[in-house]
Each structure stands twice: as structure tokens, then as C-alpha cells.
Amino acid sequence: MLQMTMVLLVLETLRLYGPAVFTQRKTMTGMAAGEIETPKGLGIIIPFAIMHRDKKVWGDDADEFNPLRFQNGVTKAAKVPHALLSFSIGPRSCIGQNFAMMEAKSVMAVILQKFSFTLSPDYVHAPVDLLTLRPKFGLPVILRRLDVCS
């Protein structure tokens, strides 16, 4: 299950291709982040897609798919412990995060008992933001029953 979590779910896949491309927050008080000062009530946009590919945080291979970066857990995957924001973080994090992870693992476990699958040669990699991030031309896969695979 650890490998499934690292590859298929919140971790590496959603680091690179999370469904939400950004979130918005409003400052409750005036604050400073480094040299940037923000007044109370300022609207802030947090761009997940940009933050999840920051080489200063994720390393020189930040644009590459590397599920092993999560082998020691989420907080040790990047130079910043809370760098993964696929479901946001803190009191406003996604309420359905645990359910979504359990549902995805359960579905994949059932599918992998009876089928193998590969990406179709017709697949064209073209992520597009249409409210959520998704493949522009779909995600065609080839399923093969395990009892007929050799």
C-alpha cells in the first residue's frame, strides 16, 4: 500500500498534477513573510502547480515523476516539511482527503486483482485547467485481464 500511496494518490501524482491549481486565502492579521509584508484583509492566491515544481523546495528533479521522494513520508519529501499542498493544509484542508485516499486505494486494489493496464499509445500529454486540472484529450488506457496475460 505504501507504493500505491507514493505513486497513485496524494503524493507524487498529485504533486505534479493535482486537481486544484490554486487556492485563495485572506489574511486575518497583518503579517510578514520574509521581506514581504501583507496587511490584514489581503487576498492571497496560493499556486499549487508552481509551488509543487519549485526546484528550491523539491530539488533539481522537481519536474520529474519520482514517487521515491515520498519513501520516508510526506514531511521528508521536500526541503520544507509542509510543501505538499494537494489537499491544502491546516484547518482549511480538504475534509474529504482521507475518504478520497481510501476510495482510490480500494478501487485500485480491486482493479489490480483482475487486470493489468498500460497507457494507450494514443495518449497525448496535455494537462488543461478547466476548473480542475485534467487531461485535455482524456486518459486512454489498455486493460488486459490477468488470466489471459502472458
Side-chain angles (χ1 to χ4, degrees):
M1 276 303 202
L2 177 60
Q3 287 81 9
M4 189 181 296
T5 300
M6 289 189 314
V7 175
L8 298 173
L9 302 170
V10 176
L11 307 178
E12 187 66 348
T13 301
L14 292 183
R15 180 186 72 83
L16 291 172
Y17 301 107
V21 292
F22 69 90
T23 191
Q24 299 178 44
R25 296 291 185 260
K26 186 179 276 190
T27 57
M28 300 300 290
T29 63
M31 57 185 278
E35 295 180 12
I36 301 171
E37 294 199 27
T38 58
K40 177 181 177 180
L42 180 71
I44 297 173
I45 294 175
I46 303 167
F48 299 147
I50 293 170
M51 294 177 73
H52 285 167
R53 292 175 184 257
D54 186 337
K55 289 181 176 19
K56 289 183 232 163
V57 175
W58 293 97
D60 290 336
D61 67 344
D63 291 326
E64 297 172 26
F65 183 79
N66 177 11
L68 293 178
R69 75 177 79 245
F70 290 97
Q71 67 187 346
N72 296 317
V74 176
T75 59
K76 293 188 166 97
K79 295 174 185 168
V80 177
H82 300 293
L84 186 69
L85 298 171
S86 299
F87 287 110
S88 193
I89 196 166
R92 299 229 181 250
S93 65
C94 177
I95 193 168
Q97 176 179 356
N98 292 335
F99 174 74
M101 288 189 57
M102 186 58 65
E103 181 180 44
K105 287 178 187 178
S106 299
V107 168
M108 287 305 297
V110 170
I111 290 171
L112 292 173
Q113 287 176 358
K114 297 185 180 193
F115 297 95
S116 70
F117 64 93
T118 57
L119 194 58
S120 169
D122 298 333
Y123 173 70
V124 176
H125 187 71
V128 62
D129 177 19
L130 298 170
L131 187 60
T132 60
L133 191 64
R134 59 186 72 185
K136 183 175 184 177
F137 305 110
L139 183 61
V141 295
I142 299 169
L143 285 174
R144 289 191 177 90
R145 288 187 58 85
L146 288 178
D147 58 354
V148 294
C149 292
S150 358

